[in-house]
Amino acid sequence: MTCWYEGPLAAFDTETTGVDVETDRIVSAALVVQDAAGTRPRVSRWLVNPGVPVPAEATAVHGLTEDHLHRNGRWPAPVMYEIAELLAEQATAGRPLVVMNAPFDLTLLDRELRRHRASSLSHWFEASPLLVLDPRVLDKHLDRYRKGRRTLTDLCAHYEVTLDEAHDAAADAKAAMDVVRAVARRFAARLERLSPAELHTLQAVWHAAQARGLQAWFARSGTEETVDPSWPLRGELPAAA
């Protein structure tokens, strides 16, 4: 019997105008679907005209200029609908969705749906639950004492996964998927008996514990930053931007 990490997976990633899920916008996104490890993936891409300025700092990360997005990007409303629809299809098919640092990308998508579609991400998964695999949460739990950063680039280097075009949504999504497969193979003795649904539930617990640990570290260092323990989606603020 094929283990889940050798079977069908999907992966989702976004590039944005910044790092605030309440105010920043999606400028590009990609969904990568792979029927089995080593098979050719199917890639869906979106380029979005966010309708707001694109800071130079964001362009320096992903290379997408405000002018390029204005000329070539689509309006957000239909794009957000298409993305949510395809993610819901993955849930209906029982295909786990890999999202690196899921609370960022999924919350940002939720806010875009609320902003442009008067909807929410959870609305799309009322019939079939979304099963998320977050390489950051998995790696941090399974190899918790390893020192160093745990960005996607760092995880790719550690697990010997190729990432040729960092900060391209499709390349990042595929790399995150490959990292999840690599993490699961390395820690197969601890993961192979768990289903993706069980892992989804466990990751929520693991992420909350990780958030509490980081919050305690901030407190000791005198930093006032707040760490949200919610996973894979942050709670709704009283008034989102």
Side-chain angles (χ1 to χ4, degrees):
M1 183 176 178
T2 302
C3 294
W4 63 262
Y5 51 82
E6 301 294 355
L9 292 178
F12 176 67
D13 189 71
T14 66
E15 297 300 329
T16 69
T17 60
V19 296
D20 188 330
V21 297
E22 302 299 339
T23 59
D24 282 306
R25 311 296 175 89
I26 294 173
V27 296
S28 71
L31 177 69
V32 177
V33 179
Q34 191 177 39
D35 293 327
T39 61
R40 185 179 182 86
R42 302 184 296 279
V43 181
S44 300
R45 302 172 186 265
W46 296 270
L47 194 66
V48 185
N49 178 358
V52 299
V54 180
E57 296 83 359
T59 297
V61 173
H62 49 59
L64 299 171
T65 65
E66 188 172 332
D67 180 66
H68 177 75
L69 293 168
H70 179 73
R71 292 174 181 272
N72 300 286
R74 297 168 58 200
W75 288 113
V79 170
M80 302 311 151
Y81 182 93
E82 290 173 13
I83 292 173
E85 186 175 45
L86 280 183
L87 296 189
E89 287 181 10
Q90 308 313 308
T92 300
R95 188 178 293 116
L97 182 70
V98 174
V99 190
M100 174 70 186
N101 190 19
F104 177 79
D105 292 82
L106 295 184
T107 304
L108 192 61
L109 175 58
D110 174 77
R111 302 316 191 244
E112 289 280 51
L113 285 167
R114 293 173 185 272
R115 184 178 292 122
H116 298 291
R117 302 293 310 190
S119 182
S120 68
L121 189 58
S122 59
H123 166 75
W124 288 87
F125 303 103
E126 291 173 350
S128 300
L130 184 64
L131 304 178
V132 177
L133 298 169
D134 189 331
R136 185 180 182 187
V137 175
L138 290 171
D139 172 72
K140 197 169 184 179
H141 177 77
L142 295 164
D143 197 1
R144 68 183 67 184
Y145 300 113
R146 188 178 80 250
K147 295 182 179 180
R149 289 158 49 88
R150 297 178 195 248
T151 66
L152 179 59
T153 301
D154 297 317
L155 294 183
C156 286
H158 182 72
Y159 289 100
E160 300 181 344
V161 167
T162 300
L163 176 56
D164 291 327
E165 299 178 66
H167 300 296
D168 169 84
D172 285 357
K174 178 57 166 59
M177 178 190 294
D178 291 342
V179 167
V180 164
R181 294 194 193 277
V183 169
R185 288 169 186 146
R186 184 170 298 185
F187 297 97
R190 298 168 65 182
L191 295 181
E192 62 185 357
R193 292 183 178 85
L194 295 171
S195 69
E198 290 170 325
L199 268 177
H200 179 98
T201 300
L202 285 170
Q203 284 170 102
V205 176
W206 296 343
H207 179 270
Q210 293 163 8
R212 289 193 298 270
L214 183 57
Q215 189 71 72
W217 185 86
F218 282 145
R220 290 194 300 271
S221 62
T223 303
E224 296 183 358
E225 186 171 348
T226 301
V227 184
D228 194 324
S230 304
W231 183 97
L233 187 67
R234 296 181 187 176
E236 180 186 1
L237 291 181

